[in-house]
Amino acid sequence: MVQSITVAFQGEPGAFSEEAVLSFFGDGVQPGPVPTWRSVFEKVRDGSVDAGVVAIESSLAGSIRETYDLLSEFYDAGIRIVGEVSVPVRLALVALPGQTLDWIERVYSHAQALAQADEFLRTRDWQVMTTYNTAGAARMIAEKRERRAAAVASPRVAELYGLEILAADIQSGDNNRTRFAVLGRDGSAAAAPASETEPGPRKTTLVFAVRNVPGSLNRCLGTFASRGVNL
């Protein structure tokens, strides 16, 4: 019998981070939601979970700086990137059953999701407010039974929280994806994916700082270019 592993992710059930966990580890994983990205790092560091998954880059919004800062902060604690997974981002506007687009006054979601759905959201005069997580926004509306409110989230949260989809595929672009880093403790083999990955070149993530003088960043990046390393 294969022992299940525990994996921390930021958000609530139905979040894209949970989709990343399930996509990378497959069956037999126990996803564990925590409130912040820092909490994911702390759980992995303390050994209370086998691995963690954190968002690191959006194809639309770019790099997620907080994750890189945490990678640097927790490096001495033995936290390492042991894998990655890319998740397609499909966004929907969800609300309590019986609501319509014309009734909605407030829209909640994580700042990244709001930015990715900005083109759709600008078509109406809605009050847009940020929350800590996409699925958390949907859960809040469901638990409070908040009418005239909607959340931007994955369409799968509608079934999870008893909501209805008012508009589907509201994300900008046809290839909207978020890349997630899989975290493990240095020397631990618990964070291996469920299936074998294709053989090929390894990817390395570097986090470094430079002096605040003209040309310092250029000299660092030029070193990679001169040696034919693709960044």
Side-chain angles (χ1 to χ4, degrees):
M1 181 177 179
V2 178
Q3 185 178 2
S4 175
I5 66 171
T6 54
V7 182
F9 69 91
Q10 186 271 335
E12 301 282 352
F16 289 105
S17 295
E18 185 186 45
E19 292 186 29
V21 172
L22 299 174
S23 177
F24 187 84
F25 290 97
D27 297 332
V29 66
Q30 294 181 15
V34 297
T36 65
W37 288 323
R38 175 176 290 276
S39 300
V40 176
F41 281 81
E42 292 173 342
K43 290 281 188 182
V44 177
R45 178 198 62 193
D46 298 341
S48 54
V49 297
D50 298 305
V53 169
V54 291
I56 196 168
E57 183 183 40
S58 163
S59 60
L60 290 182
S63 299
I64 299 172
R65 180 174 177 178
E66 182 180 351
T67 299
Y68 284 95
D69 289 341
L70 290 168
L71 285 169
S72 177
E73 179 181 340
F74 283 82
Y75 182 83
D76 289 340
I79 305 301
R80 303 289 184 266
I81 294 179
V82 298
E84 70 170 30
V85 58
S86 180
V87 174
V89 176
R90 292 185 57 236
L91 296 173
L93 192 72
V94 298
L96 291 174
Q99 302 286 286
T100 68
L101 285 175
D102 292 335
W103 289 4
I104 299 302
E105 297 175 350
R106 303 171 300 281
V107 177
Y108 302 96
S109 195
H110 188 275
Q112 292 277 348
L114 293 174
Q116 293 167 1
D118 179 67
E119 186 175 341
F120 170 80
L121 295 175
R122 283 189 282 109
T123 63
R124 292 175 180 262
D125 188 23
W126 287 321
Q127 182 182 8
V128 177
M129 291 173 284
T130 59
T131 59
Y132 81 103
N133 182 253
T134 54
R139 180 176 180 177
M140 177 188 69
I141 290 173
E143 290 181 345
K144 292 184 176 181
R145 307 302 296 172
E146 186 173 350
R147 303 183 68 80
R148 298 193 177 277
V152 174
S154 167
R156 64 193 286 259
V157 305
E159 182 177 355
L160 286 174
Y161 298 118
L163 302 174
E164 289 183 351
I165 296 175
L166 302 185
D169 291 320
I170 63 174
Q171 70 280 352
S172 299
D174 298 327
N175 193 29
N176 187 3
R177 306 182 72 88
T178 297
R179 186 163 60 95
F180 292 85
V182 181
L183 308 176
R185 294 183 299 279
D186 196 15
S188 172
S195 59
E196 293 294 328
T197 57
E198 292 294 326
R202 302 196 59 164
K203 180 180 289 187
T204 300
T205 298
L206 301 176
V207 180
F208 62 90
V210 298
R211 290 189 302 153
N212 186 20
V213 296
S216 57
L217 182 59
N218 178 67
R219 286 191 292 272
C220 290
L221 299 181
T223 299
F224 293 101
S226 65
R227 289 163 173 79
V229 178
N230 186 5
L231 298 181

